[in-house]
Amino acid sequence: MSNDIFEPRRIIVTGGCGFIGSNFVHHVVREHPGVRVTVLDKLTYAGNPENIAGLPSDRVELVVGDICDAALVDRLVSETDAVVHYAAESHNDNSIADPSPFLETNVRGTYTLIEACRKYGVRYHHVSTDEVYGDLALDDPARFTEETPYRPSSPYSSTKAASDMLVRAWARTFGLKATISNCSNNYGPYQHVEKFIPRQVTNLIDGARPRLYGDGRNVRDWIHTEDHSSAVWAILTRGRVGETYLVGADGERDNITVLREILRAFGRPEDDFDWVRDRPGHDRRYAIDATKLRRELGWEPAHTDFAAGLAETIRWYRDNEPWWRPAKEATEARYRAQGQ
Ligand SMILES: NC(=O)c1ccc[n+]([C@@H]2O[C@H](COP(=O)([O-])OP(=O)(O)OC[C@H]3O[C@@H](n4cnc5c(N)ncnc54)[C@H](O)[C@@H]3O)[C@@H](O)[C@H]2O)c1
């Protein structure tokens, strides 16, 4: 299938100081030399300007601001070719403790961006999650496809689902030039220590025992964040406007298997962890069928060796303690207060 190629020279990356957004900014700077990036980021607890420090200032500019600030968004969008929208409140546990910032950023923030994009006819790519589809049973051979009905479980995933629906409606009613991607769980450098893999790795670096939710059999479909970045770029530039693409790399593993791989990497016995109370509503299994992305856009993941990607990620956390240390104690205090 042939698609028109869209060649943006200037793009806004919202949430470009977060985990996946900053990896995308690095990817664009490295792989697409003619493109200038404006990062729009509020620098919440999850945003760290260090994630993009050192990138050339003639390629990357940081604007500290809120995607809900309509005047700021209007001004920035009037000067760009495309918006790639990563900014979000992204952590399920936090959404259970207090859903309100999730409504504000994930729903109102998306609304603010798509209103500006439709006003200026600017191309918009919406980064979403497979969690909008709810979960699958462990013994179900099915995987999510672009046709799977939405069935979000948590405040986080329901606000992401709401934002996807806004984008679809704006595309249909107002002709917004939008694409959407729904990706599975990412791993790699610059991920906040509240998330599963960095939390276990940094606990082990600290000599503490890792902590595993529930029965540990919840399955996640892991993808290296670098492969997510190449998929988003492929969809932005070669995807069909109005379409949704699922992004995944056939990386299904249950949490206990991932934890045991991490323990092995630290030379610790594989049962050297503590069980903790499960998260309410914890989704059982996610699995992505990325056939459409692979067939239509010829995308392939490069990081198919999970053990190698995990080892490299562990090395990154060992080598970058000053990056994660300031957030560690507050994160563990929050988990302790939730009994996790
Ligand atoms: N983490 C995953 O595995 C995963 C998987 C699929 C999709 N996603 C999606 O990818 C995106 C990025 O996820 P992440 O894990 O990198 O998140 P993150 O929490 O690491 O980063 C979010 C970034 O958004 C910024 N931000 C938050 N609210 C903002 C606001 N109102 N205005 C401007 N900036 C704001 C934060 O400062 C931070 O830099 C999210 O949309 C998420 O739903 C994540």
Side-chain angles (χ1 to χ4, degrees):
M1 195 171 312
S2 80
N3 302 311
D4 291 337
I5 296 183
F6 169 59
E7 294 182 46
R9 313 303 292 171
R10 296 163 305 173
I11 64 173
I12 293 171
V13 177
T14 71
C17 291
F19 163 45
I20 307 180
S22 65
N23 276 289
F24 180 72
V25 174
H26 282 268
H27 176 87
V28 171
V29 168
R30 198 176 56 246
E31 304 290 331
H32 306 287
V35 180
R36 287 204 349 245
V37 179
T38 299
V39 170
L40 172 58
D41 198 300
K42 187 179 169 183
L43 301 183
T44 67
Y45 79 96
N48 187 344
E50 285 299 310
N51 297 10
I52 55 169
L55 291 174
S57 57
D58 59 335
R59 301 282 312 281
V60 180
E61 175 199 14
L62 170 60
V63 175
V64 178
D66 193 327
I67 55 167
C68 300
D69 179 342
L72 173 64
V73 165
D74 185 279
R75 178 172 68 73
L76 294 176
V77 171
S78 74
E79 297 165 351
T80 197
D81 302 327
V83 171
V84 184
H85 177 35
Y86 286 92
E89 287 292 337
S90 70
H91 194 44
N92 268 309
D93 295 294
N94 296 346
S95 81
I96 296 166
D98 178 11
S100 94
F102 290 73
L103 270 295
E104 188 61 16
T105 287
N106 298 0
V107 182
R108 174 161 290 281
T110 297
Y111 162 73
T112 307
L113 291 166
I114 58 179
E115 276 292 85
C117 287
R118 96 169 154 110
K119 177 173 168 188
Y120 294 106
V122 160
R123 183 73 176 255
Y124 174 83
H125 180 74
H126 187 72
V127 177
S128 193
T129 164
D130 61 353
E131 299 190 28
V132 299
Y133 300 115
D135 62 355
L136 298 160
L138 293 181
D139 59 358
D140 184 348
R143 302 195 291 171
F144 300 136
T145 72
E146 288 77 6
E147 277 69 51
T148 303
Y150 274 42
R151 201 169 55 85
S153 314
S154 73
Y156 163 64
S157 55
S158 61
T159 57
K160 291 297 292 186
S163 70
D164 293 10
M165 292 301 169
L166 293 181
V167 177
R168 288 180 182 204
W170 260 240
R172 174 159 171 167
T173 302
F174 301 119
L176 177 73
K177 291 187 282 180
T179 43
I180 298 177
S181 53
N182 296 86
C183 187
S184 58
N185 280 61
N186 284 221
Y187 73 98
Y190 299 111
Q191 187 169 30
H192 196 277
V193 288
E194 69 190 354
K195 300 293 199 302
F196 180 69
I197 290 177
R199 185 179 185 212
Q200 313 300 354
V201 168
T202 53
N203 275 351
L204 283 162
I205 292 173
D206 275 350
R209 278 161 73 89
R211 301 167 75 79
L212 188 61
Y213 283 138
D215 62 4
R217 292 187 62 221
N218 302 62
V219 172
R220 299 295 175 257
D221 191 352
W222 292 99
I223 179 172
H224 195 282
T225 185
E226 183 57 28
D227 287 329
H228 188 186
S229 293
S230 67
V232 166
W233 185 262
I235 297 165
L236 172 70
T237 55
R238 292 186 288 111
R240 284 181 292 142
V241 166
E243 292 291 312
T244 291
Y245 297 84
L246 260 54
V247 182
D250 301 331
E252 278 188 70
R253 271 174 186 73
D254 59 15
N255 287 343
I256 196 163
T257 302
V258 175
L259 179 55
R260 286 189 169 136
E261 288 201 49
I262 297 171
L263 282 161
R264 256 197 307 281
F266 279 84
R268 299 267 286 259
E270 59 171 38
D271 58 353
D272 195 8
F273 64 85
D274 294 322
W275 297 102
V276 291
R277 188 170 58 84
D278 207 359
R279 167 198 296 160
H282 200 180
D283 283 339
R284 211 54 180 144
R285 170 172 163 257
Y286 304 131
I288 289 268
D289 178 349
T291 303
K292 178 176 173 180
L293 174 65
R294 287 173 186 261
R295 289 227 178 109
E296 210 176 279
L297 304 182
W299 173 85
E300 291 291 338
H303 298 263
T304 47
D305 181 343
F306 181 75
L310 186 62
E312 182 196 300
T313 303
I314 293 172
R315 211 162 31 247
W316 189 87
Y317 281 90
R318 283 191 196 275
D319 291 347
N320 289 278
E321 185 171 336
W323 179 88
W324 57 263
R325 176 61 65 197
K328 181 66 180 165
E329 183 41 41
T331 302
E332 287 306 316
R334 228 174 26 241
Y335 275 120
R336 270 195 302 277
Q338 293 165 12
Q340 293 163 332

